Amino acid sequence: MITIRGVRKAYGSVEVLHGIDLDVARGENVCIIGPSGSGKSTLLRTLNHLEDISAGTIRVDGHLIGYEERAGRLHELRESAACQQRLQVGMVFQHFNLFPHMTALENVAFAPIKVKKEKPAQARAYATELLGRVGLAGKESSYPSKLSGGQQQRVAIARAMAMRPDVMLFDEPTSALDPELVGEVLAVMQDLARTGGITMVVVTHEIGFAREVADRVVFMDQGVIVEMGPPGQVLDDPQHDRTRSFLSAVL
Ligand code: ADP
Ligand code: MG
């Protein structure tokens, strides 16, 4: 579903991704762990074309990110056109940024109606179903300010799912939450991973979640993938000193 080859990213003269190769299979759940500043968010954002890359290629479901094919030739996409490509990739951020003046239901149904031109009744029905799936049945009419952080983040997950993405990206979705609210959000993500058939890439510091839910764990440090493999391997029997010292610091 995702093929990343030789991806480099520089901000000005400073390169922060030094040649990333990674494949994610359809339906797979990959958790990315690593110290702050190692390039996890940058890598995730390139998958969504929120960042241009300096070198390499990224394909999502066969489509070259940042390009589109017209008349048999590849054309580099400008920002506006790139938005179209993002439709198939949903993203959930650390700060959920719901629209404060819209109810939970309106937040979820908004983009399908405005961007995908779904019929409002159909979009609202699907939004209701998704809110139920993230454990928020009965909260359809609540405004974000009346919801806890964990509930808001679950609305944000439903909002991303409403676009029926092939791939869901999560960038530290529980890092901004009070500790007692982390579990309910992880439970929703675990449910998606188990039953959704959806491809997920999750940047997280929740090692327990990675251990239980990830098909593969990727450890990044200083702009490179240091090692990756099944959770039992990377988390319990890491091959590199950098992985060992990171894990001993967070566990
Ligand atoms: P992580 O998510 O692993 O903490 P990031 O991907 O956010 O790491 O950052 C990787 C590196 O890129 C860091 O050194 C960070 O300072 C730098 N960086 C991130 N975003 C920008 C930006 N917009 N401009 C310049 N440097 C950036
Ligand atoms: Mg980050």
Side-chain angles (χ1 to χ4, degrees):
M1 178 58 91
I2 305 173
T3 310
I4 303 170
R5 287 289 175 274
V7 164
R8 295 176 176 273
K9 169 69 185 178
Y11 291 109
S13 59
V14 181
E15 192 177 80
V16 300
L17 296 177
H18 306 298
I20 302 287
D21 295 303
L22 177 65
D23 291 308
V24 182
R26 189 179 293 273
E28 197 178 19
N29 181 304
V30 170
C31 285
I32 302 178
I33 61 171
S36 183
S38 56
K40 306 180 300 296
S41 295
T42 303
L43 177 61
L44 211 59
R45 291 164 60 83
T46 66
L47 299 182
N48 214 5
H49 202 212
L50 289 172
E51 302 282 357
D52 285 321
I53 55 179
S54 316
T57 56
I58 300 172
R59 284 176 195 277
V60 175
D61 203 13
H63 301 288
L64 205 51
I65 293 290
Y67 295 84
E68 71 177 355
E69 200 179 305
R70 271 182 271 129
R73 292 186 54 195
L74 284 177
H75 297 264
E76 199 159 354
L77 285 176
R78 293 170 196 280
E79 266 304 291
S80 57
C83 291
Q84 291 306 111
Q85 266 194 343
R86 285 184 203 142
L87 292 182
Q88 68 192 71
V89 182
M91 188 148 177
V92 175
F93 301 88
Q94 184 173 341
H95 298 283
F96 1 106
N97 300 326
L98 298 176
F99 303 116
H101 58 292
M102 292 186 194
T103 65
L105 186 92
E106 288 163 352
N107 264 280
V108 178
F110 180 75
I113 294 170
K114 285 291 171 206
V115 182
K116 276 186 128 184
K117 314 291 180 203
E118 282 185 22
K119 290 198 180 76
Q122 180 195 331
R124 280 195 289 268
Y126 189 46
T128 305
E129 180 187 326
L130 285 170
L131 285 171
R133 191 155 159 205
V134 300
L136 293 174
K139 297 289 185 189
E140 293 82 1
S141 311
S142 300
Y143 285 89
S145 60
K146 300 290 179 218
L147 299 172
S148 72
Q151 289 172 329
Q152 289 183 56
Q153 188 61 300
R154 286 185 281 145
V155 175
I157 293 171
R159 181 174 61 175
M161 292 291 294
M163 297 297 277
R164 304 172 197 267
D166 301 315
V167 176
M168 282 281 283
L169 309 176
F170 294 85
D171 193 358
E172 298 194 29
T174 60
S175 295
L177 297 176
D178 291 335
E180 73 272 21
L181 304 177
V182 167
E184 66 192 56
V185 172
L186 293 179
V188 163
M189 291 167 60
Q190 182 159 11
D191 174 64
L192 284 185
R194 292 253 164 90
T195 62
I198 196 153
T199 308
M200 293 169 69
V201 182
V202 182
V203 174
T204 187
H205 291 296
E206 298 291 334
I207 302 297
F209 175 83
R211 187 189 303 282
E212 216 172 312
V213 179
D215 297 302
R216 255 177 328 138
V217 174
V218 172
F219 174 69
M220 280 183 75
D221 192 18
Q222 297 182 6
V224 299
I225 292 178
V226 176
E227 60 183 299
M228 59 181 152
Q233 182 185 314
V234 174
L235 301 176
D236 300 326
D237 187 23
Q239 301 301 302
H240 291 263
D241 285 340
R242 284 199 270 177
T243 319
R244 278 192 281 272
S245 60
F246 173 75
L247 287 171
S248 62
V250 297
L251 285 174

Short mmCIF file of all heavy atoms in Angstrom, two decimals, residues 11 16 34-43 51 171-172 203, ligand 1:
data_model
loop_
_atom_site.label_atom_id
_atom_site.label_comp_id
_atom_site.label_asym_id
_atom_site.label_seq_id
_atom_site.Cartn_x
_atom_site.Cartn_y
_atom_site.Cartn_z
N TYR A 11 15.25 20.83 5.25
CA TYR A 11 14.69 22.16 5.49
C TYR A 11 15.84 23.14 5.26
O TYR A 11 16.79 23.14 6.03
CB TYR A 11 14.17 22.29 6.93
CG TYR A 11 12.93 21.46 7.21
CD1 TYR A 11 13.01 20.33 8.03
CD2 TYR A 11 11.70 21.79 6.67
CE1 TYR A 11 11.88 19.58 8.31
CE2 TYR A 11 10.57 21.04 6.94
CZ TYR A 11 10.67 19.94 7.76
OH TYR A 11 9.56 19.18 8.03
N VAL A 16 16.99 16.40 7.26
CA VAL A 16 16.46 15.76 8.47
C VAL A 16 16.00 14.32 8.21
O VAL A 16 15.81 13.56 9.15
CB VAL A 16 15.33 16.58 9.12
CG1 VAL A 16 15.85 17.97 9.50
CG2 VAL A 16 14.12 16.70 8.22
N GLY A 34 10.80 6.52 18.42
CA GLY A 34 12.12 7.13 18.34
C GLY A 34 12.16 8.44 19.09
O GLY A 34 11.11 9.01 19.40
N PRO A 35 13.36 8.92 19.37
CA PRO A 35 13.49 10.15 20.15
C PRO A 35 12.90 11.36 19.45
O PRO A 35 12.74 11.36 18.22
CB PRO A 35 15.00 10.34 20.32
CG PRO A 35 15.65 9.13 19.78
CD PRO A 35 14.66 8.37 18.98
N SER A 36 12.63 12.38 20.22
CA SER A 36 12.16 13.66 19.69
C SER A 36 13.19 14.22 18.72
O SER A 36 14.38 14.14 18.97
CB SER A 36 11.94 14.60 20.87
OG SER A 36 11.43 15.81 20.42
N GLY A 37 12.70 14.72 17.59
CA GLY A 37 13.60 15.32 16.60
C GLY A 37 14.20 14.33 15.63
O GLY A 37 15.02 14.69 14.78
N SER A 38 13.78 13.06 15.70
CA SER A 38 14.40 12.05 14.84
C SER A 38 13.80 12.03 13.43
O SER A 38 14.31 11.34 12.56
CB SER A 38 14.31 10.66 15.48
OG SER A 38 12.98 10.32 15.77
N GLY A 39 12.71 12.77 13.21
CA GLY A 39 12.15 12.86 11.86
C GLY A 39 10.86 12.09 11.67
O GLY A 39 10.36 11.96 10.55
N LYS A 40 10.25 11.63 12.77
CA LYS A 40 9.04 10.81 12.67
C LYS A 40 7.89 11.61 12.06
O LYS A 40 7.23 11.14 11.13
CB LYS A 40 8.64 10.29 14.07
CG LYS A 40 9.74 9.53 14.80
CD LYS A 40 9.30 9.04 16.17
CE LYS A 40 8.86 10.12 17.13
NZ LYS A 40 9.93 11.08 17.52
N SER A 41 7.66 12.82 12.58
CA SER A 41 6.55 13.63 12.05
C SER A 41 6.81 14.03 10.61
O SER A 41 5.90 14.01 9.78
CB SER A 41 6.35 14.90 12.89
OG SER A 41 5.95 14.57 14.19
N THR A 42 8.05 14.38 10.32
CA THR A 42 8.38 14.78 8.96
C THR A 42 8.10 13.64 7.99
O THR A 42 7.48 13.84 6.94
CB THR A 42 9.86 15.20 8.87
OG1 THR A 42 10.09 16.26 9.80
CG2 THR A 42 10.23 15.66 7.47
N LEU A 43 8.50 12.43 8.34
CA LEU A 43 8.25 11.28 7.47
C LEU A 43 6.75 11.08 7.27
O LEU A 43 6.27 10.89 6.14
CB LEU A 43 8.88 10.01 8.07
CG LEU A 43 8.63 8.73 7.28
CD1 LEU A 43 9.20 8.84 5.87
CD2 LEU A 43 9.23 7.52 8.00
N GLU A 51 4.42 17.72 3.22
CA GLU A 51 5.80 18.17 3.00
C GLU A 51 6.26 17.66 1.64
O GLU A 51 6.02 16.49 1.31
CB GLU A 51 6.76 17.59 4.05
CG GLU A 51 6.43 17.90 5.48
CD GLU A 51 6.83 19.30 5.91
OE1 GLU A 51 7.43 20.04 5.09
OE2 GLU A 51 6.53 19.64 7.06
N ASP A 171 -0.15 10.93 14.30
CA ASP A 171 1.09 11.51 14.82
C ASP A 171 0.95 11.81 16.31
O ASP A 171 0.39 12.83 16.70
CB ASP A 171 1.45 12.79 14.05
CG ASP A 171 2.88 13.23 14.34
OD1 ASP A 171 3.57 12.58 15.16
OD2 ASP A 171 3.32 14.24 13.74
N GLU A 172 1.42 10.91 17.12
CA GLU A 172 1.34 11.04 18.58
C GLU A 172 -0.05 11.46 19.04
O GLU A 172 -0.21 12.47 19.74
CB GLU A 172 2.41 12.02 19.09
CG GLU A 172 3.81 11.55 18.77
CD GLU A 172 4.88 12.32 19.55
OE1 GLU A 172 4.57 12.78 20.66
OE2 GLU A 172 5.99 12.43 19.05
N VAL A 203 2.77 7.09 14.75
CA VAL A 203 3.92 7.56 15.53
C VAL A 203 3.46 7.64 16.98
O VAL A 203 2.45 8.29 17.27
CB VAL A 203 4.40 8.94 15.06
CG1 VAL A 203 5.49 9.47 15.99
CG2 VAL A 203 4.90 8.87 13.62
P1 ADP B 1 9.99 14.06 15.52
O1 ADP B 1 8.59 14.05 15.04
O2 ADP B 1 10.66 12.72 15.47
O3 ADP B 1 10.13 14.68 16.88
P2 ADP B 1 10.38 16.01 13.43
O4 ADP B 1 10.07 15.31 12.17
O5 ADP B 1 9.35 16.92 13.98
O6 ADP B 1 10.86 14.96 14.53
O7 ADP B 1 11.69 16.88 13.23
C1 ADP B 1 12.88 16.36 12.65
C2 ADP B 1 13.89 17.48 12.52
O8 ADP B 1 13.43 18.42 11.55
C3 ADP B 1 14.13 18.24 13.80
O9 ADP B 1 15.49 18.57 13.88
C4 ADP B 1 13.29 19.47 13.61
O10 ADP B 1 13.84 20.55 14.31
C5 ADP B 1 13.37 19.71 12.12
N1 ADP B 1 12.18 20.37 11.57
C6 ADP B 1 10.91 19.90 11.63
N2 ADP B 1 10.06 20.74 11.01
C7 ADP B 1 10.81 21.77 10.54
C8 ADP B 1 10.51 22.95 9.78
N3 ADP B 1 9.27 23.24 9.39
N4 ADP B 1 11.56 23.76 9.50
C9 ADP B 1 12.81 23.47 9.88
N5 ADP B 1 13.15 22.37 10.57
C10 ADP B 1 12.17 21.52 10.90
#
